[in-house]
Amino acid sequence: MYPAPDESALKVRAATRADLEAIAALDTGARAAHHHARYPGTPFDAPAEHTRCRRAWSRALHRDDTPVLCAVRHGTVLGAAAYGGEGTRAAIRPDRDSRATVKLDQLHVDPAHWGTGVGRALHTACLHAWRRAGFARAVLDVRWHNHRARGFYAGLGWRPDRRPAPDATHLTLRLDLAPGALPPPGSPPAAR
């Protein structure tokens, strides 16, 4: 016999279409919390923003080549991550040294659960999937002014990329996935 699973434990699993509403709601809430801190009083959690998030996640969940993960506790979706973007072929591209690169398109956590390990659990699940798939590097874009997210990624070993960001509002980060390339969890960012 196996021990009964701990229902209070956080689980990361593949998201399903049934998770769409919960993922869209937490994404809308996370974006609103971030933007409210920068632009107080602006209605970023308006119904139109929720509709936009819902459409984006619906497209991701309906694609076979865009993996979507969700973090769940007590049956409630607390966070979600997606990688692959416009299809795996577009997100996996040869670098200058011909190693495959994957793009982390989304990683959002319900603001009520920021700082509780949900984001780290999603990130760890992505790392395992990327390494199993043979990726050598990951990239993501983060808003310049999103210091919370930038600190989160820096603490996990992500560094600014030399490639230009898609526009002046974002910073492109990269993470080498080679064995031994990542710092131990919780270690301070390396000096550069």
Side-chain angles (χ1 to χ4, degrees):
M1 274 210 150
Y2 296 100
D6 178 8
E7 291 304 317
S8 66
L10 183 69
K11 296 174 175 78
V12 176
R13 62 168 170 77
T16 69
R17 293 174 184 169
D19 299 315
L20 175 60
E21 291 305 323
I23 292 172
L26 74 86
D27 182 352
T28 303
R31 289 175 189 269
H34 162 70
H35 289 301
H36 281 302
R38 185 163 168 85
Y39 307 105
T42 307
F44 288 100
D45 50 354
E49 180 64 11
H50 178 76
T51 299
R52 187 197 65 73
C53 287
R54 187 182 187 289
R55 285 183 184 143
W57 283 103
S58 179
R59 283 190 301 273
L61 286 166
H62 284 83
R63 293 182 64 100
D64 291 332
D65 60 353
T66 303
V68 178
L69 304 175
C70 62
V72 180
R73 182 179 289 133
H74 298 296
T76 301
V77 177
L78 305 178
Y83 56 92
E86 295 298 316
T88 304
R89 282 192 301 262
I92 303 168
R93 57 188 187 270
D95 283 337
R96 292 180 281 276
D97 63 1
S98 299
R99 298 187 302 164
T101 300
V102 63
K103 185 174 185 203
L104 177 60
D105 291 317
Q106 308 258 359
L107 193 153
H108 300 285
V109 174
D110 181 325
H113 299 276
W114 284 355
T116 65
V118 174
R120 185 177 291 273
L122 283 165
H123 184 266
T124 298
C126 288
L127 288 178
H128 289 302
W130 298 340
R131 285 190 174 129
R132 274 193 312 271
F135 293 110
R137 179 174 293 126
V139 295
L140 65 83
D141 295 320
V142 64
R143 291 188 182 274
W144 273 103
H145 62 269
N146 191 342
H147 297 290
R148 174 182 263 285
R150 288 174 61 183
F152 171 76
Y153 291 118
L156 294 170
W158 293 79
R159 300 291 175 253
D161 197 4
R162 291 187 184 103
R163 290 175 273 212
D167 58 42
T169 65
H170 289 80
L171 173 66
T172 299
L173 302 176
R174 76 174 188 315
L175 180 67
D176 292 323
L177 300 173
L182 298 175
S187 65
R192 290 237 168 203

